[in-house]
Amino acid sequence: MRTVNVECTVDAQEETIYTCPANCQAHVSLLFFSNVGGTVTVDVEFDRADGTHQHIVGGKNMGTGEYVQFSDGIVVMEPGDVFHITATGATPHVDAMVTVEEFFLTPR
């Protein structure tokens, strides 16, 4: 298991929270992000390696100190799947993290 994090401090710049490595499957048990300062709009996207796309959070307006936590389920990621976050605002500062359990795949 591991937890990875990223800071969003540039207006409208997409940041990668986590990319599932080529040699494993990952189970995401926690997605957490918080707004540290200012008013921002946050988007979190799940991009599948097969080209499909899912908005986990779309256009969430957040004031200073607000946070969002998803921890009551599991998201299964396949090799090459990616979580992205974008914070839009005058001076954004959004911290995001995911906790994943990686399962290494054996060659077939």
Side-chain angles (χ1 to χ4, degrees):
M1 290 197 74
R2 62 188 283 223
T3 298
V4 294
N5 62 293
V6 66
E7 289 183 337
C8 301
T9 57
V10 177
D11 179 38
Q13 180 172 305
E14 183 179 84
E15 301 288 347
T16 298
I17 306 171
Y18 175 76
T19 302
C20 186
N23 61 342
C24 74
Q25 183 182 66
H27 294 180
V28 178
S29 59
L30 172 70
L31 168 63
F32 177 89
F33 55 94
S34 63
N35 181 20
V36 179
T39 299
V40 297
T41 301
V42 177
D43 294 298
V44 178
E45 300 172 355
F46 180 36
D47 293 325
R48 303 297 302 248
D50 68 6
T52 58
H53 176 82
Q54 181 71 43
H55 285 276
I56 303 298
V57 175
K60 172 69 174 153
N61 294 317
M62 299 179 73
T64 300
E66 291 186 315
Y67 68 91
V68 174
Q69 177 175 316
F70 296 99
S71 59
D72 292 334
I74 300 284
V75 175
V76 177
M77 297 181 75
E78 300 295 335
D81 291 351
V82 181
F83 269 112
H84 294 285
I85 187 167
T86 305
T88 305
T91 55
H93 186 168
V94 174
D95 293 338
M97 69 178 163
V98 296
T99 298
V100 301
E101 185 172 4
E102 295 175 339
F103 299 91
F104 291 95
L105 302 173
T106 57
R108 295 179 189 192

